[in-house]
Amino acid sequence: MSIKRGYEDGSANRRLKEIRSDSFLKMAGFRVGDKRSFDKEFPHFREPVEIGHFSLDISRTFHCDKSQLKYFIKPKDFKNVRFDLTKGYSEMIKKDETKTERINDILRWILRNKETFNLAAEGKSADSETIRNLNTDFICWRGLLTKLLCTPYENRDDWKIAVTLHNGTYYLCEFDTEAKKKEKAERTERQEEMCCWGWKFEQYLTADSPEGKPSPEAVFNNCEAFGTVVRSRLASHSLVFSGEVDAIDVDPRTGKSHYVEFKTSREFSHPGQHVSFKRYKLIKMWAQSFLVGIPEIVCGFRDDEGTVHRLETFQTNKIPYVAKDIRYPWKANVCFNFLDQFLLYIKATVKEDNHRLVHLFEWNPGMDVQCTKLALDSDYTFLPDWYINS
Protein backbone atom coordinates (compact mmCIF):
# COMPACT_ATOMS: atom_id res chain seq x y z
CA MET A 1 0.00 0.00 0.00
CA SER A 2 1.38 3.40 -0.93
CA ILE A 3 1.93 6.01 1.79
CA LYS A 4 -0.62 8.29 0.16
CA ARG A 5 -3.43 5.76 0.61
CA GLY A 6 -2.78 5.60 4.35
CA TYR A 7 -4.47 8.98 4.88
CA GLU A 8 -8.13 9.90 4.55
CA ASP A 9 -7.95 13.62 5.19
CA GLY A 10 -7.59 15.69 2.01
CA SER A 11 -5.33 18.36 3.54
CA ALA A 12 -3.06 15.67 4.95
CA ASN A 13 -2.93 14.12 1.51
CA ARG A 14 -1.84 17.39 -0.06
CA ARG A 15 0.79 18.05 2.60
CA LEU A 16 2.18 14.54 2.34
CA LYS A 17 2.42 14.91 -1.42
CA GLU A 18 4.36 18.15 -0.97
CA ILE A 19 6.72 16.51 1.50
CA ARG A 20 7.21 13.49 -0.71
CA SER A 21 7.90 15.55 -3.85
CA ASP A 22 10.70 17.32 -1.99
CA SER A 23 12.13 14.11 -0.55
CA PHE A 24 15.25 12.85 -2.27
CA LEU A 25 18.72 11.52 -1.64
CA LYS A 26 21.74 12.63 -3.64
CA MET A 27 23.90 9.70 -4.71
CA ALA A 28 27.53 9.53 -5.81
CA GLY A 29 27.95 11.00 -9.30
CA PHE A 30 29.45 9.49 -12.45
CA ARG A 31 32.54 11.23 -13.72
CA VAL A 32 32.38 11.95 -17.44
CA GLY A 33 35.76 13.68 -17.36
CA ASP A 34 38.32 13.45 -20.11
CA LYS A 35 37.25 11.54 -23.21
CA ARG A 36 40.65 9.85 -23.18
CA SER A 37 39.55 7.77 -20.20
CA PHE A 38 37.09 6.00 -22.55
CA ASP A 39 39.53 5.75 -25.46
CA LYS A 40 40.18 2.04 -25.02
CA GLU A 41 39.59 -1.05 -27.11
CA PHE A 42 36.07 -1.26 -28.50
CA PRO A 43 34.00 -3.31 -26.00
CA HIS A 44 32.18 -6.39 -27.16
CA PHE A 45 28.88 -5.42 -28.79
CA ARG A 46 26.86 -8.30 -30.13
CA GLU A 47 25.20 -7.69 -33.47
CA PRO A 48 21.58 -6.68 -32.78
CA VAL A 49 19.00 -9.37 -33.52
CA GLU A 50 15.40 -8.44 -34.24
CA ILE A 51 13.08 -10.30 -31.87
CA GLY A 52 9.87 -8.51 -32.79
CA HIS A 53 8.11 -5.49 -34.21
CA PHE A 54 4.96 -3.40 -33.79
CA SER A 55 2.95 -0.67 -35.50
CA LEU A 56 1.19 2.48 -34.35
CA ASP A 57 -1.76 3.65 -36.43
CA ILE A 58 -3.00 7.18 -37.07
CA SER A 59 -4.58 7.32 -33.59
CA ARG A 60 -1.35 5.98 -32.01
CA THR A 61 -3.07 2.67 -31.23
CA PHE A 62 -0.65 -0.22 -30.73
CA HIS A 63 -0.71 -3.23 -33.09
CA CYS A 64 1.65 -6.17 -32.80
CA ASP A 65 2.14 -6.44 -36.57
CA LYS A 66 3.87 -4.93 -39.61
CA SER A 67 0.92 -2.88 -40.86
CA GLN A 68 2.91 0.38 -40.80
CA LEU A 69 6.06 -0.94 -42.45
CA LYS A 70 6.97 1.17 -45.49
CA TYR A 71 9.02 0.16 -48.54
CA PHE A 72 11.90 2.18 -49.96
CA ILE A 73 11.21 3.26 -53.54
CA LYS A 74 14.45 4.55 -55.01
CA PRO A 75 14.49 7.58 -57.31
CA LYS A 76 16.13 7.05 -60.70
CA ASP A 77 18.75 9.74 -60.12
CA PHE A 78 19.95 10.44 -56.57
CA LYS A 79 21.83 13.54 -57.73
CA ASN A 80 18.85 15.22 -59.32
CA VAL A 81 15.61 15.28 -57.32
CA ARG A 82 13.16 17.98 -56.33
CA PHE A 83 11.33 17.19 -53.09
CA ASP A 84 9.36 20.11 -51.69
CA LEU A 85 9.25 19.42 -47.94
CA THR A 86 6.86 22.32 -47.29
CA LYS A 87 4.11 20.82 -49.42
CA GLY A 88 0.99 19.92 -47.43
CA TYR A 89 2.27 21.15 -44.09
CA SER A 90 -0.92 23.11 -43.31
CA GLU A 91 -2.96 19.87 -43.60
CA MET A 92 -0.48 17.68 -41.74
CA ILE A 93 -1.94 15.47 -38.99
CA LYS A 94 0.26 15.97 -35.93
CA LYS A 95 0.78 13.72 -32.95
CA ASP A 96 -0.69 15.01 -29.70
CA GLU A 97 2.45 15.98 -27.80
CA THR A 98 0.50 16.52 -24.57
CA LYS A 99 -0.04 12.77 -24.18
CA THR A 100 2.82 11.09 -22.34
CA GLU A 101 3.73 7.75 -23.88
CA ARG A 102 6.96 7.06 -21.95
CA ILE A 103 8.03 3.47 -22.75
CA ASN A 104 4.46 2.14 -22.82
CA ASP A 105 4.62 0.72 -26.34
CA ILE A 106 7.69 -1.35 -25.48
CA LEU A 107 5.85 -2.64 -22.41
CA ARG A 108 2.81 -3.53 -24.52
CA TRP A 109 5.04 -5.51 -26.85
CA ILE A 110 6.64 -7.35 -23.91
CA LEU A 111 3.25 -8.38 -22.51
CA ARG A 112 2.28 -9.84 -25.88
CA ASN A 113 5.59 -11.66 -26.30
CA LYS A 114 6.44 -13.08 -22.89
CA GLU A 115 7.63 -16.33 -24.44
CA THR A 116 10.54 -14.42 -25.98
CA PHE A 117 11.94 -13.91 -22.48
CA ASN A 118 11.12 -17.36 -21.12
CA LEU A 119 14.18 -18.86 -19.46
CA ALA A 120 12.93 -22.33 -20.30
CA ALA A 121 14.48 -21.78 -23.72
CA GLU A 122 17.85 -21.72 -21.99
CA GLY A 123 17.35 -25.04 -20.25
CA LYS A 124 15.83 -23.73 -17.02
CA SER A 125 12.51 -24.81 -15.61
CA ALA A 126 9.61 -22.51 -16.50
CA ASP A 127 8.38 -21.82 -12.98
CA SER A 128 6.54 -18.64 -12.02
CA GLU A 129 9.75 -16.82 -11.07
CA THR A 130 11.53 -17.43 -14.38
CA ILE A 131 8.50 -16.29 -16.34
CA ARG A 132 8.31 -13.07 -14.28
CA ASN A 133 12.00 -12.38 -14.81
CA LEU A 134 12.77 -11.12 -18.32
CA ASN A 135 16.38 -12.35 -18.17
CA THR A 136 17.40 -8.93 -19.49
CA ASP A 137 19.46 -6.24 -17.78
CA PHE A 138 18.12 -3.14 -19.53
CA ILE A 139 14.97 -2.17 -21.43
CA CYS A 140 14.52 1.23 -23.09
CA TRP A 141 14.05 3.14 -26.33
CA ARG A 142 16.84 3.22 -28.90
CA GLY A 143 16.82 7.02 -28.78
CA LEU A 144 17.91 7.01 -25.14
CA LEU A 145 20.92 4.81 -25.94
CA THR A 146 21.74 7.05 -28.91
CA LYS A 147 21.84 10.05 -26.57
CA LEU A 148 24.15 8.22 -24.17
CA LEU A 149 26.50 7.12 -26.94
CA CYS A 150 26.88 10.73 -28.09
CA THR A 151 27.36 12.18 -24.59
CA PRO A 152 31.21 12.25 -24.61
CA TYR A 153 31.05 14.60 -27.62
CA GLU A 154 27.86 16.54 -26.80
CA ASN A 155 28.38 20.24 -26.01
CA ARG A 156 24.83 21.60 -26.13
CA ASP A 157 21.96 19.29 -25.12
CA ASP A 158 21.50 18.02 -21.56
CA TRP A 159 19.51 14.93 -20.59
CA LYS A 160 17.43 13.45 -17.78
CA ILE A 161 16.91 9.69 -17.42
CA ALA A 162 14.71 7.90 -14.89
CA VAL A 163 15.68 4.34 -13.90
CA THR A 164 13.57 1.74 -12.12
CA LEU A 165 14.66 -1.76 -11.13
CA HIS A 166 11.75 -4.19 -11.40
CA ASN A 167 11.99 -7.99 -11.16
CA GLY A 168 15.71 -7.89 -11.90
CA THR A 169 15.48 -5.66 -14.98
CA TYR A 170 16.44 -1.98 -15.22
CA TYR A 171 13.85 0.07 -17.10
CA LEU A 172 15.13 3.38 -18.48
CA CYS A 173 12.90 6.27 -19.50
CA GLU A 174 13.92 9.72 -20.74
CA PHE A 175 12.20 12.87 -19.48
CA ASP A 176 12.39 16.39 -20.88
CA THR A 177 14.88 18.65 -19.14
CA GLU A 178 13.95 22.24 -18.25
CA ALA A 179 16.05 23.43 -21.20
CA LYS A 180 14.14 21.11 -23.56
CA LYS A 181 10.78 22.28 -22.21
CA LYS A 182 11.83 25.90 -22.73
CA GLU A 183 13.04 25.19 -26.27
CA LYS A 184 9.73 23.54 -27.19
CA ALA A 185 7.70 26.36 -25.67
CA GLU A 186 9.63 29.03 -27.57
CA ARG A 187 9.65 27.41 -31.01
CA THR A 188 8.46 29.66 -33.80
CA GLU A 189 5.94 28.47 -36.38
CA ARG A 190 8.78 28.25 -38.89
CA GLN A 191 10.80 26.05 -36.55
CA GLU A 192 7.76 23.85 -35.97
CA GLU A 193 7.41 23.38 -39.71
CA MET A 194 11.09 22.55 -40.16
CA CYS A 195 10.78 19.87 -37.46
CA CYS A 196 8.20 18.17 -39.69
CA TRP A 197 10.26 18.15 -42.87
CA GLY A 198 11.73 14.75 -42.06
CA TRP A 199 8.32 13.06 -42.17
CA LYS A 200 7.51 14.72 -45.50
CA PHE A 201 10.87 13.56 -46.86
CA GLU A 202 9.92 9.95 -46.07
CA GLN A 203 6.73 10.37 -48.06
CA TYR A 204 8.73 11.04 -51.24
CA LEU A 205 10.71 7.80 -50.82
CA THR A 206 8.26 5.20 -49.55
CA ALA A 207 5.18 3.22 -50.50
CA ASP A 208 2.98 0.59 -48.85
CA SER A 209 4.33 -2.22 -51.04
CA PRO A 210 7.56 -2.98 -52.94
CA GLU A 211 5.76 -2.37 -56.23
CA GLY A 212 4.03 0.82 -55.10
CA LYS A 213 4.79 4.44 -55.85
CA PRO A 214 5.38 7.31 -53.41
CA SER A 215 2.38 9.62 -52.87
CA PRO A 216 3.79 13.02 -51.90
CA GLU A 217 0.42 14.64 -52.67
CA ALA A 218 -1.31 12.74 -49.85
CA VAL A 219 -1.82 14.18 -46.39
CA PHE A 220 1.09 13.20 -44.17
CA ASN A 221 1.43 12.72 -40.43
CA ASN A 222 3.87 11.93 -37.64
CA CYS A 223 1.46 9.62 -35.79
CA GLU A 224 1.90 6.36 -37.66
CA ALA A 225 5.07 4.41 -36.98
CA PHE A 226 6.71 1.02 -37.38
CA GLY A 227 9.05 -0.12 -34.63
CA THR A 228 11.62 -2.87 -34.43
CA VAL A 229 12.47 -4.60 -31.14
CA VAL A 230 16.02 -5.91 -30.89
CA ARG A 231 18.14 -7.85 -28.45
CA SER A 232 21.86 -7.24 -28.07
CA ARG A 233 24.68 -7.36 -25.52
CA LEU A 234 27.27 -4.72 -24.66
CA ALA A 235 30.11 -6.23 -22.60
CA SER A 236 28.34 -7.67 -19.52
CA HIS A 237 24.98 -5.99 -20.20
CA SER A 238 22.07 -7.69 -21.94
CA LEU A 239 19.86 -5.18 -23.73
CA VAL A 240 16.38 -5.17 -25.25
CA PHE A 241 15.35 -1.90 -26.90
CA SER A 242 13.10 -0.59 -29.61
CA GLY A 243 13.41 2.07 -32.28
CA GLU A 244 11.33 3.44 -35.11
CA VAL A 245 12.25 2.23 -38.61
CA ASP A 246 11.65 4.44 -41.65
CA ALA A 247 11.49 1.78 -44.37
CA ILE A 248 12.70 -1.56 -45.69
CA ASP A 249 14.70 -1.94 -48.91
CA VAL A 250 13.86 -5.13 -50.82
CA ASP A 251 16.08 -6.30 -53.68
CA PRO A 252 13.67 -7.41 -56.45
CA ARG A 253 16.27 -9.77 -57.91
CA THR A 254 17.24 -11.70 -54.80
CA GLY A 255 14.39 -10.94 -52.42
CA LYS A 256 16.92 -9.98 -49.73
CA SER A 257 16.01 -6.99 -47.62
CA HIS A 258 17.34 -4.62 -44.98
CA TYR A 259 16.03 -1.63 -43.08
CA VAL A 260 16.99 1.87 -44.20
CA GLU A 261 17.03 5.18 -42.34
CA PHE A 262 16.14 8.57 -43.89
CA LYS A 263 17.65 11.90 -42.83
CA THR A 264 17.66 15.47 -44.13
CA SER A 265 20.37 18.09 -43.79
CA ARG A 266 21.07 21.55 -45.07
CA GLU A 267 23.22 21.66 -48.21
CA PHE A 268 26.78 22.85 -47.62
CA SER A 269 27.63 26.36 -48.80
CA HIS A 270 31.15 26.47 -47.30
CA PRO A 271 33.68 23.94 -45.89
CA GLY A 272 32.90 24.76 -42.27
CA GLN A 273 29.37 23.42 -42.67
CA HIS A 274 30.72 20.15 -44.03
CA VAL A 275 33.01 19.82 -41.00
CA SER A 276 30.08 20.58 -38.69
CA PHE A 277 28.00 17.92 -40.45
CA LYS A 278 30.71 15.31 -39.86
CA ARG A 279 31.29 16.33 -36.26
CA TYR A 280 27.75 16.75 -34.95
CA LYS A 281 25.28 15.12 -37.33
CA LEU A 282 27.10 12.02 -38.53
CA ILE A 283 27.75 10.78 -34.99
CA LYS A 284 24.02 10.80 -34.22
CA MET A 285 23.13 9.23 -37.56
CA TRP A 286 25.70 6.50 -36.99
CA ALA A 287 24.73 5.77 -33.37
CA GLN A 288 21.02 5.62 -34.13
CA SER A 289 21.36 3.15 -37.01
CA PHE A 290 24.29 1.12 -35.65
CA LEU A 291 22.39 0.27 -32.48
CA VAL A 292 19.61 -1.57 -34.31
CA GLY A 293 21.71 -2.89 -37.18
CA ILE A 294 20.42 -0.61 -39.94
CA PRO A 295 23.19 -0.76 -42.58
CA GLU A 296 22.18 2.14 -44.82
CA ILE A 297 21.21 5.78 -44.34
CA VAL A 298 19.83 7.94 -47.15
CA CYS A 299 20.32 11.65 -46.54
CA GLY A 300 18.50 14.34 -48.49
CA PHE A 301 20.34 17.65 -48.80
CA ARG A 302 17.97 20.62 -48.87
CA ASP A 303 18.14 24.36 -49.39
CA ASP A 304 16.84 26.98 -46.94
CA GLU A 305 13.43 26.94 -48.62
CA GLY A 306 12.91 23.27 -47.76
CA THR A 307 13.57 21.71 -51.17
CA VAL A 308 15.78 18.61 -51.43
CA HIS A 309 17.92 18.63 -54.58
CA ARG A 310 20.15 15.58 -54.08
CA LEU A 311 20.43 12.37 -52.09
CA GLU A 312 23.50 10.70 -50.67
CA THR A 313 23.79 7.20 -49.21
CA PHE A 314 25.93 6.48 -46.16
CA GLN A 315 26.93 2.98 -45.10
CA THR A 316 26.51 2.93 -41.33
CA ASN A 317 29.66 0.92 -40.58
CA LYS A 318 31.79 3.33 -42.61
CA ILE A 319 30.55 6.57 -41.05
CA PRO A 320 33.23 6.71 -38.27
CA TYR A 321 35.89 6.60 -41.00
CA VAL A 322 34.14 9.35 -43.01
CA ALA A 323 34.47 11.63 -39.98
CA LYS A 324 38.13 10.82 -39.31
CA ASP A 325 39.57 13.66 -41.38
CA ILE A 326 38.21 16.44 -39.13
CA ARG A 327 40.27 17.92 -36.32
CA TYR A 328 39.75 15.99 -33.06
CA PRO A 329 37.31 13.49 -34.59
CA TRP A 330 34.76 11.56 -32.55
CA LYS A 331 35.53 7.89 -31.98
CA ALA A 332 33.11 4.97 -31.94
CA ASN A 333 35.06 3.12 -29.24
CA VAL A 334 34.84 6.13 -26.91
CA CYS A 335 31.06 6.21 -27.36
CA PHE A 336 30.58 2.55 -26.54
CA ASN A 337 33.05 2.49 -23.65
CA PHE A 338 31.20 5.42 -22.14
CA LEU A 339 27.87 3.58 -22.51
CA ASP A 340 29.35 0.42 -20.98
CA GLN A 341 30.73 2.32 -17.97
CA PHE A 342 27.51 4.28 -17.47
CA LEU A 343 25.43 1.09 -17.43
CA LEU A 344 27.82 -0.34 -14.85
CA TYR A 345 27.27 2.82 -12.80
CA ILE A 346 23.51 2.28 -12.93
CA LYS A 347 23.92 -1.30 -11.72
CA ALA A 348 26.17 -0.18 -8.88
CA THR A 349 23.83 2.65 -7.84
CA VAL A 350 20.30 1.26 -8.24
CA LYS A 351 20.03 -1.67 -5.85
CA GLU A 352 16.45 -1.71 -4.55
CA ASP A 353 14.03 -3.74 -6.68
CA ASN A 354 10.87 -1.66 -6.44
CA HIS A 355 8.70 -0.43 -9.32
CA ARG A 356 7.61 2.57 -7.22
CA LEU A 357 11.17 3.78 -6.74
CA VAL A 358 13.00 5.90 -9.32
CA HIS A 359 16.61 7.01 -9.48
CA LEU A 360 16.98 10.14 -11.60
CA PHE A 361 20.20 10.57 -13.60
CA GLU A 362 20.89 14.06 -14.96
CA TRP A 363 23.70 15.45 -17.08
CA ASN A 364 24.71 18.83 -18.44
CA PRO A 365 27.56 19.34 -20.93
CA GLY A 366 30.85 19.88 -19.16
CA MET A 367 29.54 18.38 -15.93
CA ASP A 368 29.46 14.95 -14.31
CA VAL A 369 26.31 12.81 -14.21
CA GLN A 370 24.31 13.44 -11.04
CA CYS A 371 22.04 10.81 -9.52
CA THR A 372 19.12 11.46 -7.18
CA LYS A 373 17.19 8.74 -5.37
CA LEU A 374 13.59 9.99 -5.32
CA ALA A 375 10.83 9.29 -2.84
CA LEU A 376 8.38 6.49 -3.63
CA ASP A 377 5.68 7.27 -6.20
CA SER A 378 7.34 10.47 -7.39
CA ASP A 379 6.35 12.37 -10.51
CA TYR A 380 9.00 10.36 -12.36
CA THR A 381 7.52 6.93 -11.60
CA PHE A 382 6.82 5.59 -15.09
CA LEU A 383 5.99 1.87 -14.96
CA PRO A 384 2.17 1.73 -15.25
CA ASP A 385 -0.05 -0.41 -13.03
CA TRP A 386 -1.38 -2.39 -16.00
CA TYR A 387 2.16 -3.59 -16.65
CA ILE A 388 3.09 -4.27 -13.03
CA ASN A 389 -0.16 -6.12 -12.30
CA SER A 390 0.19 -8.32 -15.36
Side-chain angles (χ1 to χ4, degrees):
M1 182 175 71
S2 70
I3 298 175
K4 181 170 63 177
R5 293 172 185 166
Y7 290 82
E8 299 294 336
D9 180 68
S11 61
N13 259 333
R14 289 191 296 272
R15 177 58 186 151
L16 187 61
K17 186 176 182 181
E18 291 170 2
I19 294 172
R20 190 177 57 210
S21 66
D22 291 335
S23 300
F24 59 86
L25 176 65
K26 288 289 184 182
M27 312 289 284
F30 175 71
R31 185 171 176 76
V32 177
D34 194 331
K35 289 186 282 291
R36 289 175 294 184
S37 63
F38 304 105
D39 194 2
K40 300 176 288 188
E41 183 179 353
F42 201 111
H44 171 70
F45 180 68
R46 190 173 66 195
E47 183 176 355
V49 175
E50 185 175 59
I51 58 174
H53 47 260
F54 60 85
S55 296
L56 303 178
D57 64 21
I58 193 70
S59 63
R60 299 293 286 181
T61 302
F62 178 95
H63 302 275
C64 206
D65 59 28
K66 292 185 176 182
S67 56
Q68 293 298 330
L69 178 62
K70 303 298 181 184
Y71 293 83
F72 181 27
I73 309 300
K74 297 179 181 178
K76 293 181 180 179
D77 186 359
F78 273 37
K79 295 182 179 180
N80 184 22
V81 298
R82 187 173 179 80
F83 300 161
D84 181 2
L85 305 183
T86 67
K87 182 184 293 186
Y89 173 69
S90 58
E91 290 82 36
M92 178 187 175
I93 302 172
K94 296 181 182 180
K95 180 172 66 174
D96 185 353
E97 298 291 349
T98 64
K99 293 182 178 180
T100 54
E101 298 179 340
R102 304 302 183 211
I103 62 169
N104 289 353
D105 289 321
I106 305 175
L107 303 180
R108 292 186 179 97
W109 183 88
I110 290 173
L111 292 185
R112 288 164 174 78
N113 295 273
K114 288 182 179 179
E115 71 282 355
T116 303
F117 300 91
N118 196 333
L119 297 188
E122 299 186 11
K124 299 183 180 181
S125 60
D127 56 28
S128 60
E129 182 60 30
T130 59
I131 292 175
R132 282 195 329 131
N133 193 315
L134 299 182
N135 195 33
T136 301
D137 293 332
F138 295 95
I139 288 177
C140 63
W141 283 114
R142 181 261 314 268
L144 184 151
L145 295 178
T146 299
K147 191 157 289 187
L148 290 175
L149 283 176
C150 298
T151 294
Y153 298 98
E154 180 60 60
N155 62 3
R156 190 186 69 165
D157 295 331
D158 54 354
W159 50 251
K160 180 188 296 186
I161 295 172
V163 178
T164 290
L165 178 60
H166 172 58
N167 285 348
T169 293
Y170 297 90
Y171 294 81
L172 279 59
C173 181
E174 185 178 2
F175 282 76
D176 280 348
T177 63
E178 293 307 311
K180 185 65 176 178
K181 291 177 184 177
K182 185 174 185 291
E183 182 268 323
K184 285 182 177 180
E186 295 178 353
R187 277 181 193 164
T188 65
E189 182 58 32
R190 174 65 170 175
Q191 290 170 330
E192 284 284 353
E193 179 180 355
M194 292 176 69
C195 289
C196 297
W197 284 354
W199 286 288
K200 186 64 182 181
F201 180 58
E202 294 173 20
Q203 200 177 32
Y204 281 96
L205 296 172
T206 61
D208 293 333
S209 69
E211 303 81 21
K213 293 183 178 180
S215 303
E217 303 298 329
V219 175
F220 71 108
N221 69 85
N222 63 349
C223 305
E224 297 170 325
F226 172 78
T228 181
V229 184
V230 304
R231 188 197 301 276
S232 185
R233 174 173 287 275
L234 171 60
S236 62
H237 318 295
S238 55
L239 307 163
V240 169
F241 51 96
S242 177
E244 187 174 335
V245 172
D246 292 336
I248 189 170
D249 185 5
V250 180
D251 189 327
R253 298 166 298 177
T254 65
K256 293 182 178 180
S257 63
H258 63 266
Y259 291 140
V260 60
E261 181 75 18
F262 300 132
K263 295 293 180 185
T264 62
S265 184
R266 187 181 183 278
E267 187 61 274
F268 314 125
S269 57
H270 57 78
Q273 292 175 338
H274 198 187
V275 171
S276 180
F277 173 79
K278 290 182 178 182
R279 184 179 303 282
Y280 300 113
K281 197 144 191 175
L282 278 186
I283 185 174
K284 294 176 181 177
M285 289 167 54
W286 162 79
Q288 183 183 43
S289 291
F290 187 81
L291 278 168
V292 292
I294 295 178
E296 184 180 24
I297 303 165
V298 176
C299 187
F301 289 91
R302 59 164 181 81
D303 58 27
D304 289 335
E305 310 307 315
T307 300
V308 174
H309 295 283
R310 70 178 180 94
L311 308 178
E312 186 174 347
T313 298
F314 294 89
Q315 300 303 313
T316 303
N317 287 338
K318 296 180 180 179
I319 287 179
Y321 302 99
V322 174
K324 262 190 171 182
D325 63 350
I326 62 176
R327 190 180 185 188
Y328 307 123
W330 55 269
K331 298 181 179 180
N333 63 309
V334 170
C335 298
F336 270 89
N337 278 311
F338 173 84
L339 177 58
D340 172 37
Q341 293 300 311
F342 181 70
L343 296 181
L344 283 173
Y345 169 60
I346 290 177
K347 287 180 176 178
T349 304
V350 183
K351 293 293 189 180
E352 185 176 342
D353 197 310
N354 186 341
H355 68 273
R356 296 167 54 203
L357 176 64
V358 167
H359 284 70
L360 194 63
F361 296 81
E362 299 176 271
W363 176 80
N364 283 280
M367 307 293 287
D368 294 336
V369 178
Q370 300 299 318
C371 176
T372 306
K373 181 180 178 181
L374 303 180
L376 296 183
D377 302 321
S378 72
D379 291 339
Y380 291 95
T381 301
F382 61 89
L383 288 182
D385 289 341
W386 53 260
Y387 181 74
I388 300 300
N389 296 333
S390 68

